[in-house]
Amino acid sequence: MEVEAELPEDFRCPISMEVMTDPVILSSGHTFDRASIQRWLDSGNRTCPLTNLPLPPSPSLIPNHALRSLISNFLSLRPATAVSDDALLLARLSFPSDTSSLAAVLRLAQHRRHAARRLLADSGAASVLLRHAAAPDRPDLQELSLRALLHLSLDGDDARVGLVAEGALDPLVAALRGGSGSSAAALAATLLTSLAVVEVNKATIGAHPAAIPRLAALLREGGGRERREAATALYELCKFAENRRRTIRAGALPPLLRLVSEGSERAVRVLGLLAKCREGKEEMRKLSGFVRVLAEVIRAGSPRAIEHALLVLNLVCSDSKVMAAEAAEEGVLDLCSILSGDVNLKTRKNAMELALILKKGRFVGYS
């Protein structure tokens, strides 16, 4: 791809970063590809994308014939090997592959040019990558494949839906088995997080019989990185209500509480989602030391962790005298009094509501 590096930057559109095919000059004096700047203007923007200076109500797009000629002449003299080499590589790609081939595929997936990533997406290479992702006997190839798939997933919602439709879940769930110190397990959890950004994928991933149980197992058995990535994946998945019950049933609550005690803000946020379902609150009330850990977060956690810890205790204590009494014993009421003047609106609101629950005994049931 050395030829790409020799391409003058002035030949690329500042918006798309692609080589311009129809360069036009905006009234600000800067040149853009016509299609890109037209989309910018059609979206209602009336400033120059480069200078941010205001444009007239109906900006003129003046063809830059000189630059178009320069680009055309340059491309006609330039060896056209880069794209053909990439296409040839992808055409020859098969399972099992080798390190150099998968490294080249990863490079394509990381490429900033849309055309290179599109070539990869349209080649069918994902099926080879997915087979390697599920094969732990060659961890080097497994990691390269997972990294390439992660970059493919970042190409937009269509790419995320497409990977799930192509059968990504079984290989990714298999890769979660890596356990402590497993780069593949952490990458697989990260990739599941990326796929779960799309709402329909949240439901599909959650419905997989082993996806959430394996993430819960990774929380229990993984190393620091694997546990963090598993918690992040569960946070994204539990935005879908049905996945909260699945996560509770998978036994994720005890290792999540352990993560919270170790200072994980993301784990606190997962608890905030799980506490919104009945099963979640019931299991939280059974955990020894649950209120004590949350009280410590409120006492010394990060601002965002404090906000969510207050929310969790609000939900858990709202209909449980036992939990409310325990919270009072842990000094939570005094902490709420301090936080009722917090600059963060949500923290202040949560603190005031929890203080009312603890002071006035607003309980509708017993635990």
Side-chain angles (χ1 to χ4, degrees):
M1 296 293 283
E2 291 79 3
V3 178
E4 280 294 321
E6 297 172 2
L7 189 75
E9 284 300 313
D10 288 344
F11 288 5
R12 298 186 188 277
C13 172
I15 297 175
S16 68
M17 300 308 298
E18 302 287 345
V19 178
M20 291 183 278
T21 58
D22 187 7
V24 293
I25 304 172
L26 198 58
S27 55
S28 64
H30 293 280
T31 297
F32 304 87
D33 200 36
R34 183 183 294 276
S36 295
I37 193 60
Q38 193 63 60
R39 281 195 298 271
W40 170 267
L41 296 173
D42 290 345
S43 297
N45 297 295
R46 284 299 176 266
T47 57
C48 172
L50 285 181
T51 66
N52 210 31
L53 294 175
L55 298 171
S58 300
S60 300
L61 301 179
I62 305 169
N64 191 333
H65 295 296
L67 182 57
R68 182 171 185 171
S69 178
L70 283 172
I71 294 173
S72 178
N73 290 336
F74 182 90
L75 294 178
S76 67
L77 297 173
R78 174 182 149 199
T81 59
V83 173
S84 60
D85 284 351
D86 290 337
L88 186 59
L89 163 73
L90 294 173
R92 291 175 174 173
L93 190 67
S94 61
F95 182 88
S97 191
D98 55 70
T99 304
S100 61
S101 296
L102 292 184
V105 172
L106 174 58
R107 173 183 53 76
L108 272 179
Q110 292 171 322
H111 208 291
R112 68 176 182 174
R113 291 188 64 221
H114 177 72
R117 298 196 306 272
R118 188 77 272 151
L119 177 66
L120 178 56
D122 293 342
S123 69
S127 61
V128 175
L129 296 174
L130 288 170
R131 291 184 68 183
H132 276 294
D137 56 313
R138 285 292 305 272
D140 55 335
L141 302 184
Q142 186 181 37
E143 180 172 341
L144 284 169
S145 296
L146 286 166
R147 290 188 181 280
L149 288 165
L150 178 58
H151 282 282
L152 281 179
S153 76
L154 300 177
D155 209 26
D157 288 355
D158 288 345
R160 294 181 174 102
V161 173
L163 282 172
V164 171
E166 197 158 344
L169 295 190
D170 283 342
L172 294 184
V173 169
L176 289 174
R177 286 179 175 149
S180 181
S182 169
S183 177
L187 282 168
T190 305
L191 184 47
L192 283 174
T193 302
S194 177
L195 297 179
V197 167
V198 184
E199 200 66 23
V200 67
N201 283 353
K202 286 181 173 65
T204 305
I205 296 169
H208 189 287
I212 288 178
R214 289 276 169 79
L215 287 169
L218 200 59
L219 278 177
R220 290 190 295 270
E221 303 160 7
R225 181 188 171 199
E226 294 83 55
R227 293 164 64 209
R228 288 192 299 272
E229 295 299 338
T232 301
L234 287 173
Y235 175 71
E236 195 61 47
L237 286 167
C238 286
K239 291 177 183 177
F240 181 66
E242 182 57 33
N243 288 340
R244 297 167 193 168
R245 289 180 281 275
R246 291 167 174 153
T247 300
I248 292 297
R249 290 195 292 266
L253 203 48
L256 278 171
L257 187 63
R258 181 159 61 99
L259 262 183
V260 171
S261 70
E262 295 169 0
S264 171
E265 179 184 300
R266 180 49 50 86
V268 183
R269 299 180 75 177
V270 180
L271 292 184
L273 292 172
L274 297 180
K276 292 180 179 179
C277 72
R278 178 179 55 80
E279 294 94 330
K281 289 193 289 185
E282 289 175 353
E283 290 302 314
M284 288 174 189
R285 290 166 185 156
K286 297 175 185 176
L287 280 180
S288 174
F290 183 82
V291 173
R292 176 182 51 77
V293 171
L294 271 292
E296 187 57 34
V297 173
I298 296 171
R299 188 173 289 112
S302 67
R304 186 59 62 86
I306 291 171
E307 173 193 324
H308 287 274
L310 287 166
L311 172 64
V312 173
L313 287 182
N314 259 311
L315 294 167
V316 172
C317 294
S318 62
D319 53 359
S320 170
K321 284 185 176 180
V322 172
M323 299 299 278
E326 189 176 341
E329 289 174 7
E330 292 289 344
V332 173
L333 184 55
D334 291 338
L335 294 172
C336 288
S337 298
I338 296 170
L339 292 169
S340 62
D342 197 87
V343 294
N344 182 301
L345 179 61
K346 290 183 178 179
T347 296
R348 187 162 69 243
K349 177 176 177 290
N350 289 339
M352 293 171 69
E353 289 179 354
L354 182 55
L356 285 173
I357 290 172
L358 299 184
K359 280 195 274 189
K360 297 182 180 179
R362 288 184 177 178
F363 312 120
V364 297
Y366 295 81
S367 293

